[in-house]
Amino acid sequence: MKLYSLTISEARNLLDRKEISVKDLVRSLYERVDAVEERVKAFVTITRDEAFKMAEEVEKEITEKTKVTGPLIGIPLAIKDNICTKGILTTCSSKILSNFISPYESTATSRLIEQGYVLIGKTNMDEFAMGSSTENSGFQVTRNPWNLERIPGGSSGGSASAVASDECIAALGSDTGGSIRQPAALCGVVGLKPTYGRVSRYGLVAFASSLDQIGPITKNVRDAVILMNIISGHDPLDSTSAPLPVPDFTAVLGQEIKGIKIGVPKEYFIEGMDREVEVSVKEAIKNLESLGAISVEVSLPHTGYAVATYYVLATSEASSNLARYDGMRYGLRVEGKDLVDTYMNTRANGFGAEVKRRIMLGTYALSSGYYEAYYRKAQQVRTLIKKDFEKAFQVVDVIVTPTSPTAAFKLGEKIADPLQMYLSDIFTISVNLAGVPGISIPCGFTSNNLPIGLQLIGRHFDEESILKVAYAYEQATEWHKRRPNL
Amino acid sequence: MKDVDIINVLKYEAVIGLEVHAQMLTDTKIFCSCSTKFGSEPDTQTCPVCIGMPGALPVLNKKALEFIIKTGLTMNCKISPYSRFARKNYFYPDLPKGYQITQYELPICEHGYVEIAVDGEIKRIGIIRIHMEEDAGKTIHEGEGNYSLVDLNRAGVPLMEIVSEPDIRSPREAMEYMKKLRTILRYLGVCDGNMEQGSLRCDANVSVRPAEQKEFGVKTEIKNLNSFKFVEKALEYEIKRQVKILEEGGKIKQETRLWNSERGITESMRTKEEAHDYRYFPEPDLVPIIVDQKWIDEIQASLPELPDIKRKRFVSEYGLAEYDADLLTSERPLADWYEEAVRLGGQPKAVSNWIMVELMRLLNEENKSIEGCTLKPKQLVDMFKLIEKGTISGKIAKTVFEEMYKTGKDAEDIVRDKGLEQISDEAAIDKAIDDVIAMHPKEVERFRAGEEKLIGFFVGQVMKLTKGKANPKMVNELLKKKLS
């Protein structure tokens, strides 16, 4: 048996039955990493020494029974490189943070540490999470394990690719406009963006603060549920985390979906969408109906403005969030003849083209004289988009859409055309603007054997409904069992 | 600027508005739990939040919010039930995040006023707004090297910015207004008001206009006014400078100017065209501040009695003179000290006199405030009792008081240890009088010849001989008896 191909719950069983040790599991994963990473390039940092140290500690705790058993004890996970891990490089795949070792631990990973997880490595991403293909990494290009000539999606392309190629049991990503769901869809794995405020952002390096959320990328829905149970919940260190109780998400696994109302937004099935994607998603909706769900057409009338709205708001926040990378306290510093020169040298050398483009866009949108026309207007449209969802959710429990308009595209195919690239997130962006939860699950393959994702969207703080439907669908289908041939 | 005629200045009216920054006296910073203590080693009071580490997030200190609401209520402001933070974006090495978290569109306090007294007239100065923000770090230029250092201990210390209406008409009024703010802030315990350490800072907007004109003239902003004196001096200078330009047919340039205290002038810092575009936008890392009326009411109920009201009460309740009441209420601890002494049985006017004359003198000598004073009100009252009982004279009491102040010992112990009890024994005083008469036969003769004012001389001699301890009343009576 190949231990690296296990899911969290499968590995849990074997560990609890003492059929394998944590070290066996970790060793197997690094064997896999050694075998495929050269081709996949999912990791920015591989934390082999730390992982074996963590494994040893966890095993000690298991034998000494100092740790109460939990689902995550000894489970090796990969973490996106924009989530701060104490004492370990946290680069955001940016040259400007290429030497940044975080002095503190993010809340999300602190909760994983409490549960005894093992860190396999930090995964590659589009620089500062800005991109949809992971090609904007300042370090390397990650490949899609289903076809090494294709992109894994982004920006959590490293995490999705690492999960899909069995280089970790599961991973954490972050999602600002689709950065968990789109790469999950393109890599044939499960990716959940929680409701804004469900998971603490403390220690998540900010791209767009009002949109960013950390979430799991896993091999199946059950594993997503396991991780959600651990990382969710109010954090006094994040004012925007919701002071709400967190339900036990495992309770929804296996619940019937008979009678549940699923909304199909007409604006999401548009001209120009990939034919194979459309067919798969429609097939999936039929499948859900066969499980007892009732599908209803709904309208999200402001969908057409989502991408524009997103690129005003996200870049505005980013232009401010990225101001701290000035070469004064940490990270890259390129000296110049005076202060302004040092700022300019540092930022000119440290940031990649896409990051610079977005800083400029955002700076422009916030500038005096343009603020009303861009930032304020975009905020107003955001409210309208949110209301679209609220209205739809008065009628339906879950909304179903494709995750991405196409399957994985070729490396370099869209990198020269930012607008084409931005459209990769056309189906995922509204979810962030509205702050609602969304999950992508595998729902088919193209004729080229590339995965296709189905997106389920829920009400605010109702991850339970989308997880319930996702799990029911997963149980009724085989897509999630397919693995790439590496 | 001697060439500006005083008459010219009088033809014009100054219009002044002040922006006052006050560091709040919270124990911890506004968005993290680092200490706000002043004067520690550089960068020892920092954390990922206030140092602007990637991924760190701010969380509002509730105490800072309470402090600003207190201030707003005291300054008659409307407290907004919904307000929020904004980011002010600019690059500077002492600004770790590249933006300052402040309030912009929706400040917490608006539409208030304070009253100042100028030449006996009460004048109301409007407050446009009071908002919260974080302080920046401190840039230190030292040594010969081509570099500066930054200390981030101050980064994230809570500030409130109090913005006045352009209601101020003279440098004198500006200073009185500043003093008034300082007194209120200190009364509330929300700011120590220390201008030297920068806990209270002031920028001034100033313009001039011909006395009969309604529209405001073009204004300049003066930065770096870190003492009451500088507020007055800089405004005086700037008004004259502007009048001179206008009188010479010139135009005032809208700009930011810096007060140079060494040269006593204001200097151009940047023009309007060079002004920053701060690109304010709502701070997405902090949720809007929702304040419920119940909490505002609780804070209102907890407000201390304010100086103006206290002063009036001191006059009516204790029969003090306006001037004395004003001084005694200038600082809350001093007023508290006074009232404690009165409560313990001290005669109100006597307590006031002893504070105003003796205690203030001793404190001033050491450049100390009442807070640093070890002498307790009870000790003063106990000393009064010794005077009443005749154990010590009023004169000796001054010595006793100074000793109490310096050593912290009680009056009774000092009197006993130093043998300062008043001599009321007739025989002992008689003896001293006899000695004095024997020593000064000429003066006795002159007295008996009718030079009665010499009685003072004899009293003095007797007191000298008894080291001031003789009961002065008895000395007087016995002397008259013996000399006649």
Side-chain angles (χ1 to χ4, degrees), chain A residues 142-296:
Chain A
T142 298
R143 312 296 172 120
N144 190 314
W146 293 91
N147 181 333
L148 296 172
E149 299 307 307
R150 288 176 185 263
I151 57 96
S155 67
S156 309
S159 284
S161 165
V163 173
S165 54
D166 289 328
E167 291 186 276
C168 59
I169 302 292
L172 288 189
S174 73
D175 189 317
T176 307
S179 281
I180 286 174
R181 291 158 290 156
Q182 185 256 17
L186 271 45
C187 289
V189 292
V190 173
L192 171 67
K193 185 209 84 88
T195 309
Y196 184 80
R198 178 64 98 186
V199 178
S200 169
R201 293 186 296 114
Y202 190 76
L204 168 65
V205 181
F207 158 18
S209 311
S210 73
L211 301 159
D212 298 340
Q213 270 292 289
I214 292 174
I217 297 178
T218 55
K219 292 173 186 173
N220 63 23
V221 175
R222 182 183 289 276
D223 282 3
V225 161
I226 290 169
L227 288 179
M228 278 302 288
N229 267 356
I230 292 165
I231 62 174
S232 301
H234 178 63
D235 175 12
L237 297 178
D238 175 4
S239 313
T240 64
S241 78
L244 292 173
V246 180
D248 176 6
F249 293 114
T250 57
V252 305
L253 300 177
Q255 281 183 10
E256 271 196 38
I257 61 162
K258 207 166 172 193
I260 200 163
K261 280 193 180 156
I262 55 171
V264 182
K266 59 181 182 195
E267 292 83 3
Y268 280 59
F269 293 85
I270 40 160
E271 199 93 354
M273 181 161 82
D274 188 282
R275 179 89 191 116
E276 288 180 305
V277 171
E278 188 176 350
V279 168
S280 285
V281 170
K282 288 200 166 149
E283 195 65 37
I285 293 167
K286 274 196 203 131
N287 205 322
L288 289 172
E289 285 173 334
S290 75
L291 294 171
I294 303 154
S295 83
V296 184

Side-chain angles (χ1 to χ4, degrees), chain A residues 334-445:
Chain A
V334 183
E335 293 283 348
K337 64 179 191 310
D338 56 21
L339 176 66
V340 172
D341 221 34
T342 302
Y343 279 150
M344 296 209 291
N345 287 351
T346 299
R347 291 167 69 84
N349 284 282
F351 290 137
E354 181 61 25
V355 171
K356 286 177 190 162
R357 180 180 293 121
R358 295 198 192 190
I359 290 173
M360 284 190 278
L361 268 173
T363 303
Y364 185 84
L366 289 177
S367 296
S368 116
Y370 298 98
Y371 181 87
E372 295 293 324
Y374 293 104
Y375 184 85
R376 175 133 24 227
K377 184 63 79 183
Q379 283 290 21
Q380 287 163 347
V381 180
R382 182 177 186 173
T383 303
L384 294 175
I385 288 170
K386 204 170 159 186
K387 283 188 179 152
D388 282 356
F389 278 97
E390 280 164 9
K391 218 172 139 198
F393 282 126
Q394 285 172 3
V395 183
V396 299
D397 302 303
V398 167
I399 290 171
V400 190
T401 77
T403 307
S404 168
T406 66
F409 44 91
K410 289 195 179 112
L411 292 170
E413 190 180 324
K414 296 184 180 175
I415 197 71
D417 188 346
L419 278 181
Q420 270 306 307
M421 187 72 92
Y422 294 174
L423 290 174
S424 308
D425 294 328
I426 190 164
F427 297 144
T428 46
I429 273 174
S430 296
V431 171
N432 298 77
L433 289 170
V436 292
I439 189 170
S440 178
I441 54 173
C443 74
F445 284 82

Side-chain angles (χ1 to χ4, degrees), chain B residues 33-293:
Chain B
S33 51
C34 288
S35 167
T36 54
K37 212 173 118 232
F38 180 82
S40 304
E41 284 295 304
D43 288 352
T44 52
Q45 288 159 196
T46 58
C47 74
V49 176
C50 58
I51 220 163
M53 281 286 166
L57 296 171
V59 176
L60 178 61
N61 179 342
K62 201 177 173 195
K63 201 80 195 167
L65 182 58
E66 187 192 319
F67 277 9
I68 198 159
I69 292 174
K70 265 188 180 176
T71 309
L73 289 171
T74 305
M75 298 187 184
N76 309 293
C77 289
K78 192 180 144 286
I79 310 299
S80 306
Y82 181 98
S83 71
R84 66 175 312 158
F85 284 102
R87 290 186 186 176
K88 178 180 181 177
N89 295 284
Y90 65 96
F91 285 97
Y92 204 68
D94 65 16
L95 190 70
K97 297 185 295 296
Y99 56 83
Q100 178 196 31
I101 303 177
T102 177
Q103 294 195 288
Y104 186 59
E105 283 182 322
L106 297 168
I108 178 87
C109 307
E110 286 182 286
H111 314 304
Y113 65 87
V114 294
E115 286 175 340
I116 57 169
V118 183
D119 301 327
E121 297 270 315
I122 299 294
K123 177 166 177 175
R124 191 172 274 198
I125 307 294
I127 305 275
I128 297 176
R129 57 188 279 157
I130 308 175
H131 71 248
M132 290 174 275
E133 60 187 29
E134 57 179 341
D135 209 342
K138 205 170 177 177
T139 307
I140 305 156
H141 310 277
E142 61 179 25
E144 298 294 303
N146 182 26
Y147 63 88
S148 300
L149 298 169
V150 178
D151 172 10
L152 292 175
N153 282 349
R154 203 181 64 183
V157 167
L159 294 178
M160 57 177 117
E161 181 173 335
I162 306 166
V163 183
S164 86
E165 295 278 1
D167 289 347
I168 299 164
R169 291 290 172 269
S170 72
R172 182 61 209 294
E173 282 182 22
M175 200 174 75
E176 289 302 327
Y177 168 77
M178 273 300 279
K179 282 187 175 164
K180 190 54 174 267
L181 291 195
R182 183 174 184 272
T183 303
I184 292 174
L185 296 173
R186 286 175 55 86
Y187 251 78
L188 295 174
V190 299
C191 173
D192 67 17
N194 189 325
M195 294 189 82
E196 273 157 41
Q197 285 178 6
S199 353
L200 194 64
R201 313 195 279 267
C202 169
D203 299 336
N205 286 295
V206 56
S207 63
V208 297
R209 61 182 172 190
E212 68 282 0
Q213 184 180 306
K214 276 209 165 144
E215 302 81 48
F216 291 157
V218 176
K219 67 172 183 185
T220 59
E221 185 184 1
I222 313 171
K223 294 220 172 254
N224 196 27
L225 305 175
N226 55 8
S227 79
F228 292 127
K229 203 177 80 194
F230 291 162
V231 170
E232 195 172 25
K233 292 258 181 269
L235 285 169
E236 275 168 7
Y237 175 89
E238 181 61 16
I239 291 163
K240 281 183 197 160
R241 190 188 69 88
Q242 292 190 10
V243 166
K244 181 167 185 264
I245 291 172
L246 294 178
E247 281 294 301
E248 289 169 0
K251 274 191 177 157
I252 310 295
K253 245 196 323 195
Q254 186 177 338
E255 61 183 352
T256 303
R257 299 179 68 83
L258 200 64
W259 168 244
N260 182 330
S261 57
E262 270 156 43
R263 299 180 59 197
I265 61 169
T266 64
E267 297 165 316
S268 182
M269 191 173 142
R270 57 173 176 256
T271 62
K272 190 187 171 196
E273 290 70 32
E274 293 162 339
H276 292 293
D277 179 356
Y278 290 118
R279 308 192 315 281
Y280 286 99
F281 74 104
E283 163 59 288
D285 284 335
L286 287 163
V287 289
I289 307 153
I290 314 276
V291 184
D292 69 355
Q293 191 55 43

Side-chain angles (χ1 to χ4, degrees), chain A residues 48-117:
Chain A
R48 203 181 297 254
D49 293 348
E50 288 88 348
F52 279 108
K53 224 161 66 193
M54 286 167 103
E56 195 153 315
E57 275 165 33
V58 167
E59 281 190 336
K60 205 169 142 225
E61 282 169 353
I62 292 174
T63 41
E64 290 172 6
K65 295 201 166 62
T66 49
K67 194 157 219 129
V68 204
T69 53
L72 215 59
I73 300 172
I75 301 296
L77 305 178
I79 305 293
K80 189 177 181 179
D81 210 23
N82 60 351
I83 300 173
C84 287
T85 43
K86 190 175 176 178
I88 292 164
L89 279 175
T90 298
T91 70
C92 297
S93 289
S94 178
K95 287 202 179 82
I96 212 157
L97 284 178
S98 54
N99 61 359
F100 178 69
I101 293 173
S102 176
Y104 75 103
E105 191 76 32
S106 79
T107 297
T109 49
S110 292
R111 289 179 178 174
L112 299 181
I113 289 171
E114 277 165 33
Q115 294 290 323
Y117 97 118

